[in-house]
Amino acid sequence: MTLFGAIVALHVVAGTTGLIAFWVPVATRKGGAAHRRYGSIGARALMVAGGLAIAMALLSLYGPEHRLPMIKDRALFAGLFGWMMLYLGLLTIGFADYGLAVARYRSSRRELRGVRHQAVFAAVLLSAVKCGATGWALGQPLMMLVAAIGVIALATQLYYIWAPGVGQRAYVQQHFRALLGMGISAYTAFLSVGLIRLVPDHVFNPLIWAVPSIVGVALIIMFTLRTAPPRRVSAAPGR
């Protein structure tokens, strides 16, 4: 419990830093100094928080009875605070890493096809499958939903990386979607730590856990529509 408490404290510090800094690039001029500076701070802080979330998940899977003895449903606890938190930690790291990388390598996708980046994709995908399968076994639609969101996001990212050709500014949407996805997964994981202390009666309420996904997906759709290239109107025959 001492080790777990120390990890939670560090996770809260890193997560709070990242979650506050996250909104600066969302609200400020894209490409500006504040956007770049706070975007980098937020992404790197949330990568640290994601790594600590993975450590907490492993401890929850290894000895849940030592962490929260008042929890009676051990299978549900291991699913939400073990496998789902492990997945969300990896997803947060994956989103942050990809979001920074697509901006860094915007002139070429070759680096994104390397072993390091593809290994991160593989780790996130495997954890998503495990999270979704565990959610299916437990009858928890929340776990299946967050797993499905991650798999869909991975599919769009891999398409961008491996497609024969993409638009010159396609990286902009990829960058923004990835960092918004990072925020969704980070806020969802952060609720798992805060809810059990603030409102323990609602810690397994899927509606509360779904709020970050609803807000984040709405922002992604809004940004995608705003930055979509204008449709070309073809001339009528004979003109």
Side-chain angles (χ1 to χ4, degrees):
M1 285 302 296
T2 301
L3 174 61
F4 191 88
I7 293 175
V8 169
L10 293 173
H11 174 76
V12 169
V13 172
T16 301
T17 301
L19 293 175
I20 293 174
F22 163 78
W23 290 104
V24 177
V26 172
T28 56
R29 182 175 63 87
K30 305 302 177 279
H35 175 95
R36 295 194 302 271
R37 179 181 180 184
Y38 286 96
S40 177
I41 291 173
R44 297 184 191 286
L46 288 179
M47 289 177 78
V48 172
L52 293 168
I54 292 171
M56 289 190 293
L58 293 174
L59 287 174
S60 295
L61 288 169
Y62 178 73
E65 67 279 358
H66 300 300
R67 178 184 167 187
L68 293 168
M70 77 288 293
I71 299 294
K72 302 302 181 184
D73 193 334
R74 293 300 176 191
L76 181 61
F77 179 85
L80 288 174
F81 295 97
W83 294 115
M84 190 167 83
M85 182 175 283
L86 176 67
Y87 158 66
L88 289 172
L90 285 168
L91 185 64
T92 301
I93 294 172
F95 272 135
D97 182 62
Y98 177 75
L100 294 176
V102 291
R104 184 183 306 120
Y105 305 122
R106 56 184 174 272
S107 60
S108 173
R109 293 171 292 155
R110 182 177 302 173
E111 291 290 340
L112 297 173
R113 296 170 180 171
V115 173
R116 190 188 78 78
H117 289 290
Q118 295 302 309
V120 174
F121 283 122
V124 175
L125 179 60
L126 289 174
S127 66
V129 171
K130 177 60 178 178
C131 177
T134 303
W136 177 271
L138 294 173
Q140 283 295 314
L142 170 66
M143 296 179 66
M144 292 183 280
L145 174 63
V146 294
I149 291 173
V151 171
I152 293 170
L154 283 176
T156 62
Q157 292 168 1
L158 289 169
Y159 176 80
Y160 168 80
I161 293 173
W162 294 100
V166 295
Q168 187 176 5
R169 300 279 296 172
Y171 78 91
V172 175
Q173 288 191 352
Q174 291 293 314
H175 172 73
F176 194 81
R177 288 173 186 169
L179 295 186
L180 273 177
M182 172 194 73
I184 293 172
S185 57
Y187 269 102
T188 304
F190 202 69
L191 284 176
S192 70
V193 178
L195 276 181
I196 200 166
R197 289 164 174 79
L198 298 176
V199 283
D201 291 340
H202 295 281
V203 69
F204 295 137
N205 187 337
L207 294 178
I208 295 178
W209 285 55
V211 168
S213 295
I214 295 171
V215 175
V217 169
L219 287 173
I220 289 173
I221 293 173
M222 181 181 70
F223 180 80
T224 300
L225 294 175
R226 182 183 298 175
T227 58
R231 297 179 61 182
R232 295 181 180 180
V233 180
S234 57
R239 294 187 179 180

Short mmCIF file of all heavy atoms in Angstrom, two decimals, residues 135-176:
data_model
loop_
_atom_site.label_atom_id
_atom_site.label_comp_id
_atom_site.label_asym_id
_atom_site.label_seq_id
_atom_site.Cartn_x
_atom_site.Cartn_y
_atom_site.Cartn_z
N GLY A 135 -14.32 -6.99 -20.66
CA GLY A 135 -15.60 -6.31 -20.53
C GLY A 135 -16.75 -7.18 -20.99
O GLY A 135 -17.83 -7.20 -20.37
N TRP A 136 -16.55 -7.92 -22.08
CA TRP A 136 -17.57 -8.84 -22.58
C TRP A 136 -17.86 -9.92 -21.54
O TRP A 136 -19.02 -10.24 -21.26
CB TRP A 136 -17.11 -9.46 -23.88
CG TRP A 136 -18.05 -10.48 -24.45
CD1 TRP A 136 -18.06 -11.83 -24.18
CD2 TRP A 136 -19.13 -10.26 -25.36
NE1 TRP A 136 -19.07 -12.45 -24.88
CE2 TRP A 136 -19.75 -11.51 -25.62
CE3 TRP A 136 -19.63 -9.12 -25.99
CZ2 TRP A 136 -20.83 -11.65 -26.46
CZ3 TRP A 136 -20.73 -9.26 -26.85
CH2 TRP A 136 -21.31 -10.51 -27.07
N ALA A 137 -16.81 -10.48 -20.96
CA ALA A 137 -16.98 -11.56 -19.97
C ALA A 137 -17.68 -11.06 -18.71
O ALA A 137 -18.45 -11.80 -18.08
CB ALA A 137 -15.62 -12.15 -19.62
N LEU A 138 -17.42 -9.80 -18.33
CA LEU A 138 -18.00 -9.23 -17.13
C LEU A 138 -19.36 -8.58 -17.38
O LEU A 138 -20.03 -8.16 -16.43
CB LEU A 138 -17.06 -8.19 -16.52
CG LEU A 138 -15.72 -8.70 -15.98
CD1 LEU A 138 -14.84 -7.53 -15.58
CD2 LEU A 138 -15.94 -9.64 -14.80
N GLY A 139 -19.73 -8.46 -18.65
CA GLY A 139 -20.97 -7.75 -18.97
C GLY A 139 -20.87 -6.26 -18.72
O GLY A 139 -21.84 -5.64 -18.28
N GLN A 140 -19.68 -5.68 -19.00
CA GLN A 140 -19.43 -4.26 -18.77
C GLN A 140 -19.30 -3.53 -20.11
O GLN A 140 -18.23 -3.53 -20.73
CB GLN A 140 -18.15 -4.07 -17.95
CG GLN A 140 -18.32 -4.38 -16.48
CD GLN A 140 -19.27 -3.40 -15.80
OE1 GLN A 140 -19.19 -2.19 -15.99
NE2 GLN A 140 -20.18 -3.94 -15.01
N PRO A 141 -20.37 -2.90 -20.60
CA PRO A 141 -20.30 -2.20 -21.89
C PRO A 141 -19.30 -1.06 -21.89
O PRO A 141 -18.76 -0.71 -22.94
CB PRO A 141 -21.73 -1.68 -22.09
CG PRO A 141 -22.34 -1.68 -20.73
CD PRO A 141 -21.70 -2.81 -19.99
N LEU A 142 -19.02 -0.46 -20.72
CA LEU A 142 -18.04 0.63 -20.65
C LEU A 142 -16.68 0.16 -21.14
O LEU A 142 -16.02 0.84 -21.94
CB LEU A 142 -17.93 1.13 -19.21
CG LEU A 142 -16.77 2.10 -18.93
CD1 LEU A 142 -16.98 3.40 -19.68
CD2 LEU A 142 -16.64 2.36 -17.44
N MET A 143 -16.24 -1.00 -20.68
CA MET A 143 -14.93 -1.52 -21.09
C MET A 143 -14.90 -1.82 -22.58
O MET A 143 -13.90 -1.55 -23.26
CB MET A 143 -14.59 -2.77 -20.28
CG MET A 143 -14.43 -2.52 -18.78
SD MET A 143 -14.06 -4.04 -17.86
CE MET A 143 -12.43 -4.44 -18.51
N MET A 144 -16.00 -2.36 -23.10
CA MET A 144 -16.05 -2.65 -24.53
C MET A 144 -16.07 -1.37 -25.35
O MET A 144 -15.45 -1.29 -26.42
CB MET A 144 -17.29 -3.51 -24.84
CG MET A 144 -17.21 -4.91 -24.24
SD MET A 144 -18.64 -5.94 -24.67
CE MET A 144 -19.86 -5.35 -23.49
N LEU A 145 -16.75 -0.33 -24.85
CA LEU A 145 -16.83 0.94 -25.57
C LEU A 145 -15.48 1.62 -25.67
O LEU A 145 -15.07 2.03 -26.76
CB LEU A 145 -17.83 1.87 -24.87
CG LEU A 145 -17.92 3.29 -25.43
CD1 LEU A 145 -18.41 3.28 -26.87
CD2 LEU A 145 -18.84 4.15 -24.57
N VAL A 146 -14.77 1.72 -24.54
CA VAL A 146 -13.47 2.41 -24.59
C VAL A 146 -12.47 1.61 -25.42
O VAL A 146 -11.61 2.18 -26.10
CB VAL A 146 -12.91 2.68 -23.17
CG1 VAL A 146 -13.79 3.65 -22.42
CG2 VAL A 146 -12.72 1.40 -22.37
N ALA A 147 -12.59 0.27 -25.39
CA ALA A 147 -11.71 -0.55 -26.22
C ALA A 147 -12.00 -0.32 -27.70
O ALA A 147 -11.08 -0.19 -28.51
CB ALA A 147 -11.88 -2.03 -25.87
N ALA A 148 -13.29 -0.24 -28.06
CA ALA A 148 -13.67 -0.02 -29.45
C ALA A 148 -13.19 1.35 -29.94
O ALA A 148 -12.70 1.48 -31.07
CB ALA A 148 -15.19 -0.12 -29.61
N ILE A 149 -13.30 2.38 -29.09
CA ILE A 149 -12.83 3.71 -29.47
C ILE A 149 -11.34 3.69 -29.78
O ILE A 149 -10.88 4.27 -30.77
CB ILE A 149 -13.14 4.73 -28.35
CG1 ILE A 149 -14.64 4.96 -28.25
CG2 ILE A 149 -12.41 6.05 -28.60
CD1 ILE A 149 -15.06 5.82 -27.06
N GLY A 150 -10.58 2.99 -28.95
CA GLY A 150 -9.14 2.90 -29.18
C GLY A 150 -8.79 2.17 -30.47
O GLY A 150 -7.90 2.58 -31.20
N VAL A 151 -9.50 1.06 -30.73
CA VAL A 151 -9.23 0.29 -31.95
C VAL A 151 -9.54 1.12 -33.20
O VAL A 151 -8.78 1.12 -34.18
CB VAL A 151 -10.03 -1.02 -31.95
CG1 VAL A 151 -9.94 -1.72 -33.30
CG2 VAL A 151 -9.53 -1.95 -30.84
N ILE A 152 -10.66 1.85 -33.17
CA ILE A 152 -11.02 2.70 -34.31
C ILE A 152 -9.96 3.79 -34.52
O ILE A 152 -9.55 4.07 -35.65
CB ILE A 152 -12.41 3.33 -34.08
CG1 ILE A 152 -13.49 2.25 -34.12
CG2 ILE A 152 -12.70 4.40 -35.14
CD1 ILE A 152 -14.85 2.73 -33.68
N ALA A 153 -9.51 4.40 -33.42
CA ALA A 153 -8.48 5.43 -33.53
C ALA A 153 -7.18 4.86 -34.09
O ALA A 153 -6.53 5.47 -34.95
CB ALA A 153 -8.23 6.06 -32.15
N LEU A 154 -6.81 3.66 -33.63
CA LEU A 154 -5.60 3.01 -34.15
C LEU A 154 -5.73 2.75 -35.65
O LEU A 154 -4.76 2.92 -36.40
CB LEU A 154 -5.36 1.69 -33.42
CG LEU A 154 -4.77 1.76 -32.00
CD1 LEU A 154 -4.69 0.37 -31.40
CD2 LEU A 154 -3.40 2.41 -32.01
N ALA A 155 -6.90 2.32 -36.08
CA ALA A 155 -7.11 2.04 -37.50
C ALA A 155 -6.90 3.29 -38.35
O ALA A 155 -6.27 3.23 -39.41
CB ALA A 155 -8.51 1.47 -37.73
N THR A 156 -7.43 4.43 -37.89
CA THR A 156 -7.25 5.67 -38.66
C THR A 156 -5.80 6.11 -38.67
O THR A 156 -5.30 6.64 -39.68
CB THR A 156 -8.13 6.79 -38.08
OG1 THR A 156 -7.72 7.07 -36.73
CG2 THR A 156 -9.59 6.39 -38.09
N GLN A 157 -5.09 5.90 -37.56
CA GLN A 157 -3.68 6.28 -37.50
C GLN A 157 -2.83 5.40 -38.42
O GLN A 157 -1.96 5.90 -39.14
CB GLN A 157 -3.19 6.19 -36.05
CG GLN A 157 -3.82 7.23 -35.13
CD GLN A 157 -3.55 6.95 -33.67
OE1 GLN A 157 -2.87 5.99 -33.30
NE2 GLN A 157 -4.11 7.79 -32.79
N LEU A 158 -3.09 4.11 -38.39
CA LEU A 158 -2.33 3.20 -39.24
C LEU A 158 -2.63 3.45 -40.72
O LEU A 158 -1.74 3.30 -41.57
CB LEU A 158 -2.64 1.75 -38.87
CG LEU A 158 -2.06 1.29 -37.52
CD1 LEU A 158 -2.63 -0.06 -37.11
CD2 LEU A 158 -0.53 1.23 -37.60
N TYR A 159 -3.87 3.82 -41.02
CA TYR A 159 -4.19 4.15 -42.40
C TYR A 159 -3.38 5.35 -42.86
O TYR A 159 -2.83 5.36 -43.98
CB TYR A 159 -5.68 4.43 -42.55
CG TYR A 159 -6.06 4.87 -43.95
CD1 TYR A 159 -6.23 3.93 -44.97
CD2 TYR A 159 -6.21 6.22 -44.27
CE1 TYR A 159 -6.55 4.32 -46.26
CE2 TYR A 159 -6.52 6.62 -45.55
CZ TYR A 159 -6.70 5.68 -46.55
OH TYR A 159 -6.99 6.08 -47.82
N TYR A 160 -3.29 6.37 -42.02
CA TYR A 160 -2.50 7.56 -42.37
C TYR A 160 -1.04 7.18 -42.61
O TYR A 160 -0.40 7.67 -43.55
CB TYR A 160 -2.60 8.59 -41.25
CG TYR A 160 -1.60 9.72 -41.38
CD1 TYR A 160 -1.83 10.78 -42.25
CD2 TYR A 160 -0.42 9.72 -40.64
CE1 TYR A 160 -0.91 11.81 -42.39
CE2 TYR A 160 0.50 10.75 -40.77
CZ TYR A 160 0.25 11.79 -41.63
OH TYR A 160 1.17 12.80 -41.76
N ILE A 161 -0.51 6.30 -41.77
CA ILE A 161 0.90 5.94 -41.87
C ILE A 161 1.20 5.13 -43.12
O ILE A 161 2.20 5.35 -43.81
CB ILE A 161 1.34 5.16 -40.61
CG1 ILE A 161 1.31 6.07 -39.38
CG2 ILE A 161 2.74 4.57 -40.79
CD1 ILE A 161 1.55 5.35 -38.08
N TRP A 162 0.31 4.20 -43.46
CA TRP A 162 0.61 3.24 -44.52
C TRP A 162 -0.11 3.52 -45.83
O TRP A 162 0.16 2.84 -46.84
CB TRP A 162 0.26 1.82 -44.05
CG TRP A 162 1.14 1.36 -42.93
CD1 TRP A 162 0.84 1.35 -41.60
CD2 TRP A 162 2.48 0.85 -43.04
NE1 TRP A 162 1.90 0.86 -40.87
CE2 TRP A 162 2.92 0.55 -41.72
CE3 TRP A 162 3.35 0.62 -44.11
CZ2 TRP A 162 4.19 0.03 -41.46
CZ3 TRP A 162 4.61 0.10 -43.86
CH2 TRP A 162 5.01 -0.19 -42.55
N ALA A 163 -0.99 4.49 -45.89
CA ALA A 163 -1.69 4.80 -47.14
C ALA A 163 -0.69 5.22 -48.21
O ALA A 163 0.31 5.89 -47.92
CB ALA A 163 -2.71 5.91 -46.91
N PRO A 164 -0.94 4.85 -49.46
CA PRO A 164 -0.01 5.22 -50.54
C PRO A 164 0.21 6.74 -50.64
O PRO A 164 1.30 7.20 -50.93
CB PRO A 164 -0.68 4.67 -51.80
CG PRO A 164 -1.58 3.58 -51.31
CD PRO A 164 -2.06 4.02 -49.96
N GLY A 165 -0.86 7.50 -50.44
CA GLY A 165 -0.74 8.95 -50.52
C GLY A 165 -1.75 9.63 -49.62
O GLY A 165 -2.85 9.15 -49.44
N VAL A 166 -1.34 10.72 -48.99
CA VAL A 166 -2.23 11.50 -48.13
C VAL A 166 -2.07 12.97 -48.49
O VAL A 166 -1.09 13.38 -49.13
CB VAL A 166 -1.91 11.30 -46.63
CG1 VAL A 166 -2.19 9.86 -46.22
CG2 VAL A 166 -0.48 11.69 -46.32
N GLY A 167 -3.04 13.78 -48.08
CA GLY A 167 -2.98 15.20 -48.35
C GLY A 167 -1.81 15.87 -47.65
O GLY A 167 -1.32 15.39 -46.62
N GLN A 168 -1.37 16.98 -48.19
CA GLN A 168 -0.21 17.68 -47.65
C GLN A 168 -0.43 18.12 -46.21
O GLN A 168 0.51 18.16 -45.42
CB GLN A 168 0.12 18.90 -48.53
CG GLN A 168 1.41 19.59 -48.15
CD GLN A 168 1.75 20.72 -49.10
OE1 GLN A 168 0.98 21.05 -50.00
NE2 GLN A 168 2.92 21.34 -48.92
N ARG A 169 -1.67 18.45 -45.85
CA ARG A 169 -1.98 18.93 -44.51
C ARG A 169 -2.71 17.88 -43.68
O ARG A 169 -3.28 18.19 -42.64
CB ARG A 169 -2.85 20.19 -44.61
CG ARG A 169 -2.21 21.35 -45.33
CD ARG A 169 -1.27 22.12 -44.44
NE ARG A 169 -1.97 22.75 -43.33
CZ ARG A 169 -1.35 23.36 -42.32
NH1 ARG A 169 -0.04 23.38 -42.26
NH2 ARG A 169 -2.06 23.92 -41.35
N ALA A 170 -2.67 16.63 -44.11
CA ALA A 170 -3.38 15.58 -43.39
C ALA A 170 -2.84 15.39 -41.98
O ALA A 170 -3.56 14.98 -41.07
CB ALA A 170 -3.30 14.26 -44.16
N TYR A 171 -1.56 15.69 -41.79
CA TYR A 171 -0.96 15.50 -40.47
C TYR A 171 -1.60 16.40 -39.41
O TYR A 171 -1.57 16.07 -38.22
CB TYR A 171 0.55 15.76 -40.53
CG TYR A 171 0.93 17.23 -40.53
CD1 TYR A 171 1.16 17.91 -39.34
CD2 TYR A 171 1.03 17.93 -41.72
CE1 TYR A 171 1.50 19.25 -39.34
CE2 TYR A 171 1.36 19.27 -41.73
CZ TYR A 171 1.60 19.93 -40.53
OH TYR A 171 1.92 21.25 -40.53
N VAL A 172 -2.18 17.54 -39.83
CA VAL A 172 -2.78 18.47 -38.87
C VAL A 172 -3.94 17.80 -38.16
O VAL A 172 -4.04 17.83 -36.92
CB VAL A 172 -3.24 19.77 -39.57
CG1 VAL A 172 -3.97 20.67 -38.59
CG2 VAL A 172 -2.06 20.49 -40.20
N GLN A 173 -4.84 17.17 -38.92
CA GLN A 173 -5.96 16.47 -38.31
C GLN A 173 -5.49 15.30 -37.46
O GLN A 173 -6.02 15.05 -36.37
CB GLN A 173 -6.95 16.00 -39.37
CG GLN A 173 -7.75 17.12 -40.02
CD GLN A 173 -8.88 16.59 -40.88
OE1 GLN A 173 -8.99 15.40 -41.12
NE2 GLN A 173 -9.74 17.48 -41.36
N GLN A 174 -4.48 14.57 -37.95
CA GLN A 174 -3.96 13.44 -37.19
C GLN A 174 -3.38 13.91 -35.85
O GLN A 174 -3.59 13.29 -34.81
CB GLN A 174 -2.88 12.72 -38.00
CG GLN A 174 -3.40 11.99 -39.21
CD GLN A 174 -4.27 10.81 -38.84
OE1 GLN A 174 -3.94 10.02 -37.96
NE2 GLN A 174 -5.41 10.69 -39.50
N HIS A 175 -2.64 15.01 -35.90
CA HIS A 175 -2.03 15.57 -34.69
C HIS A 175 -3.10 15.96 -33.68
O HIS A 175 -3.02 15.59 -32.49
CB HIS A 175 -1.19 16.79 -35.09
CG HIS A 175 -0.66 17.57 -33.93
ND1 HIS A 175 0.36 17.12 -33.13
CD2 HIS A 175 -1.02 18.80 -33.44
CE1 HIS A 175 0.61 18.03 -32.19
NE2 HIS A 175 -0.21 19.05 -32.35
N PHE A 176 -4.11 16.69 -34.13
CA PHE A 176 -5.13 17.17 -33.22
C PHE A 176 -5.98 16.03 -32.68
O PHE A 176 -6.29 15.97 -31.48
CB PHE A 176 -6.02 18.19 -33.94
CG PHE A 176 -6.89 18.99 -33.01
CD1 PHE A 176 -6.37 20.08 -32.32
CD2 PHE A 176 -8.21 18.66 -32.82
CE1 PHE A 176 -7.17 20.82 -31.45
CE2 PHE A 176 -9.02 19.40 -31.95
CZ PHE A 176 -8.49 20.47 -31.27
#
